């Protein structure tokens, strides 16, 4: 099938081309994001392939449906950027990559926590300037501390297991469904309020829903322990960034490690080094010594890219072969 791939980065094209050797789809790459302004680029193309920050609202769906698109293939797990009701009304199937490399994100999360708690980011900058003084680099052990993990799906479960079984932490978890394997190694499921109240480090791995949007906010931060560390490698809008900034500046929050940001759509996945960034909250966060910000790269490993490409190409092949049917667990529908 012919596929229009939007928001293409060089690493996307390499992995998709490699996978496509087994499928022989016709791929048209666009480095621009899908939006109301660019939707016409998919004219006459039955499959549109998008990533996390592409705009797939009702107007976009109406345009691509009118121009012949029948499948939206997400090369990611999240789908909050897609108007599923509009897609259903237009007769467009939406599929995704439900799990491509939980290890990549869970390992990156641990790296963020260790880097922040042992001040590795600050030490690296000092050494580059031939400054080998250790004053100001005193960190904290993780052993014996309380780690809160919100969301224990495939990624969160790996994070909880690593902290509990690998680093000897007390781990509190919160999810609508308990994982018995985690319980068996001593992970304790508690309410979200109790988790926020007791945890030294809070790691966010839950999906973005109306119930979880801004779960870290001004009110919930007031209930946390002084010096708490907030870690988000899930969805940007799980955290009210302005409220987090206030709590960091007041020193109630002891640090933050963020790989996602609620207004990242206008920032991430591009080189803005020659531009003026007008997002004051983001800019102020980057100036704080106890904050690590990265550009949504926790998922970015060779293994994850290969998995994303292979599952995406397979979804398209199944859609073509089976008369519009894709593996049930990969289909996304309006609730």
């Amino acid at each position: 099938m012919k596929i229009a791939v939007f928001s293409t980065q060089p690493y996307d094209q390499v992995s998709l081309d490699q996978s496509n050797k087994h499928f022989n789809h016709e791929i048209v790459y666009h480095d621009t994001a899908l939006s109301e302004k660019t939707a016409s680029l998919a004219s006459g193309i039955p499959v549109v392939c998008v990533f996390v920050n592409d705009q797939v609202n009702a107007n976009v769906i109406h345009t691509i449906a009118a121009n012949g698109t029948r499948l939206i293939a997400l090369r990611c797990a999240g789908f909050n950027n897609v108007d599923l009701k509009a897609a259903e009304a237009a007769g467009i199937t939406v599929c995704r990559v439900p799990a491509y490399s939980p290890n990549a994100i869970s390992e990156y999360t641990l790296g963020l926590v260790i880097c922040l708690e042992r001040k590795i980011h600050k030490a690296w900058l000092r050494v580059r300037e031939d400054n080998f003084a250790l004053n100001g680099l005193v960190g904290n052990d993780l052993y014996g501390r309380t780690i809160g993990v919100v969301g224990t799906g495939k990624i969160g479960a790996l994070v909880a297991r690593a902290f509990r079984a690998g680093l000897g932490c007390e781990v509190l978890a919160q999810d609508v469904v308990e994982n018995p394997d985690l319980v068996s190694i001593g992970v304790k499921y508690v309410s979200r309020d109790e988790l926020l109240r007791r945890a030294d480090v809070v790691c966010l791995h839950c999906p973005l829903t109306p119930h979880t949007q801004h779960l870290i906010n001004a009110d919930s931060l007031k209930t946390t322990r002084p010096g708490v560390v907030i870690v988000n490698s899930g969805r940007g809008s799980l955290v009210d960034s302005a409220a987090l900034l206030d709590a960091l500046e007041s020193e109630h929050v002891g640090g933050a490690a963020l790989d996602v940001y609620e207004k990242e759509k206008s920032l991430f996945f591009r080189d803005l080094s020659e531009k003026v960034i007008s997002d004051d909250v983001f800019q102020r966060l980057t100036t704080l010594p106890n904050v690590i910000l990265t550009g949504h790269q926790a998922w970015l490993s060779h293994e994850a890219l290969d998995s994303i490409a292979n599952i995406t190409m397979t979804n398209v092949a199944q859609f073509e072969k089976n008369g519009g049917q894709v593996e049930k667990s990969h289909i996304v529908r309006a609730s």
Side-chain angles (χ1 to χ4, degrees):
M1 296 187 78
K2 192 171 184 178
I3 308 170
V5 179
F6 287 85
S7 296
T8 306
Q9 297 291 339
Y11 46 78
D12 292 315
Q13 186 164 348
V14 169
S15 59
L16 289 169
D17 282 345
Q18 179 64 34
S19 178
N20 195 41
K21 291 178 181 179
H22 304 288
F23 297 94
N24 296 314
H25 298 300
E26 182 183 351
I27 304 178
V28 179
Y29 292 106
H30 300 290
D31 58 7
T32 187
L34 179 63
S35 67
E36 294 178 13
K37 293 181 179 179
T38 63
S40 60
L41 293 173
S43 182
I45 300 178
V47 182
V48 166
C49 180
V50 297
F51 197 51
V52 293
N53 287 331
D54 286 295
Q55 182 184 61
V56 199
N57 60 23
N59 290 335
V60 169
I61 288 170
H62 176 77
T63 299
I64 63 176
N67 289 335
T69 295
R70 296 183 289 124
L71 176 66
I72 296 171
L74 294 155
R75 58 184 192 276
C76 54
F79 51 87
N80 53 285
N81 57 327
V82 182
D83 188 326
L84 296 176
K85 291 183 178 179
E88 184 177 325
I92 292 180
T93 300
V94 181
C95 63
R96 63 174 179 145
V97 181
Y100 40 88
S101 184
N103 293 299
I105 299 173
S106 61
E107 291 169 10
Y108 194 88
T109 300
L110 262 66
L112 286 175
V113 175
I114 293 170
C115 185
L116 186 65
E117 289 294 87
R118 296 304 305 272
K119 304 187 180 180
I120 296 171
H121 59 301
K122 295 179 67 176
W124 181 79
L125 288 172
R126 283 192 188 185
V127 170
R128 283 174 59 87
E129 297 176 350
D130 297 330
N131 179 356
F132 307 106
L134 298 183
N135 190 45
L137 297 180
V138 179
N140 299 299
D141 288 353
L142 289 170
Y143 178 81
R145 297 178 71 199
T146 301
I147 310 296
V149 179
V150 181
T152 54
K154 292 185 177 181
I155 297 167
L158 288 171
V159 171
R161 179 176 292 278
F163 277 118
R164 177 60 184 164
L167 295 174
C169 301
E170 179 183 3
V171 177
L172 306 178
Q174 186 270 317
D175 204 320
V176 293
V177 178
E178 295 188 8
N179 183 328
D181 292 336
L182 294 180
V183 174
S184 71
I185 62 171
V187 173
K188 301 173 184 177
Y189 278 86
V190 297
S191 69
R192 186 185 298 171
D193 289 343
E194 182 177 350
L195 183 151
L196 292 175
R197 200 167 56 244
R198 293 176 54 191
D200 298 305
V201 178
V202 176
C203 298
L204 305 179
H205 299 288
C206 55
L208 178 62
T209 68
H211 183 62
T212 61
Q213 184 170 12
H214 283 184
L215 72 87
I216 299 297
N217 56 52
D219 291 333
S220 63
L221 284 169
K222 290 176 183 176
T223 70
T224 58
R225 302 180 67 169
V228 67
V229 171
I230 304 297
V231 182
N232 188 10
S233 56
R235 295 287 181 266
S237 291
L238 297 174
V239 175
D240 181 335
S241 304
L244 176 62
L245 176 63
D246 288 343
L248 284 160
E249 291 183 334
S250 71
E251 299 185 357
H252 176 75
V253 170
L258 310 173
D259 183 55
V260 289
Y261 177 67
E262 62 179 324
K263 296 179 181 178
E264 68 177 57
K265 184 177 179 180
S266 62
L267 300 174
F268 289 180
F269 309 119
R270 69 199 76 180
D271 181 358
L272 301 180
S273 58
E274 300 297 323
K275 306 288 185 180
V276 175
I277 295 176
S278 59
D279 186 329
D280 183 58
V281 170
F282 182 84
Q283 293 292 65
R284 287 164 64 191
L285 283 169
T286 64
T287 67
L288 299 180
N290 55 345
V291 172
I292 296 176
L293 269 166
T294 56
H296 204 147
Q297 72 174 75
W299 62 278
L300 190 61
S301 70
H302 289 293
E303 293 80 2
L305 285 168
D306 290 345
S307 179
I308 290 169
N310 290 334
I311 294 173
T312 300
M313 294 294 100
T314 300
N315 284 341
V316 175
Q318 288 181 344
F319 184 83
E320 180 180 29
K321 180 180 178 181
N322 301 328
Q325 297 299 313
V326 180
E327 185 174 328
K328 187 176 180 180
S329 63
H330 295 186
I331 294 291
V332 185
R333 294 186 174 89
S335 56

